[in-house]
Amino acid sequence: MTDIYTVVGFAGMACIIAAYAYLTWSPKPNPFVLHGTNLAGAALLTVSLLVHTNLPSLVLEGFWAAIAIYGLVKAVRQRKDTA
């Protein structure tokens, strides 16, 4: 039987895969969609990993989230500069 944390982890995985596909297939990806989806995926996977602990994957998700936050901050700054 699958628990809710595994389902949450799969949802996070789907977000990260969707963001990568979006980046690959979109001629001009929106950074808010890209990094927001990556951040959501990292957050969901982190929830799952806090219950089903896998330290290397947990550290990876921390870096994934940090990079996504950096991307979002950069996108906000660029939007302000062009406004």
Side-chain angles (χ1 to χ4, degrees):
M1 184 170 170
T2 303
D3 65 11
I4 188 66
Y5 298 103
T6 299
V7 173
V8 168
F10 272 107
M13 177 205 64
C15 286
I16 290 174
I17 290 170
Y20 186 63
Y22 173 68
L23 174 64
T24 301
W25 293 324
S26 178
K28 189 173 180 187
N30 180 321
F32 294 100
V33 172
L34 176 65
H35 298 303
T37 305
N38 270 320
L39 182 58
L44 291 168
L45 277 164
T46 297
V47 168
S48 177
L49 288 166
L50 289 173
V51 174
H52 302 291
T53 306
N54 177 332
L55 191 56
S57 293
L58 190 59
V59 170
L60 172 67
E61 293 314 317
F63 279 102
W64 203 269
I67 292 166
I69 290 168
Y70 172 79
L72 286 168
V73 169
K74 183 178 171 184
V76 167
R77 287 182 180 161
Q78 287 177 343
R79 179 180 274 180
K80 286 180 182 178
D81 289 344
T82 59

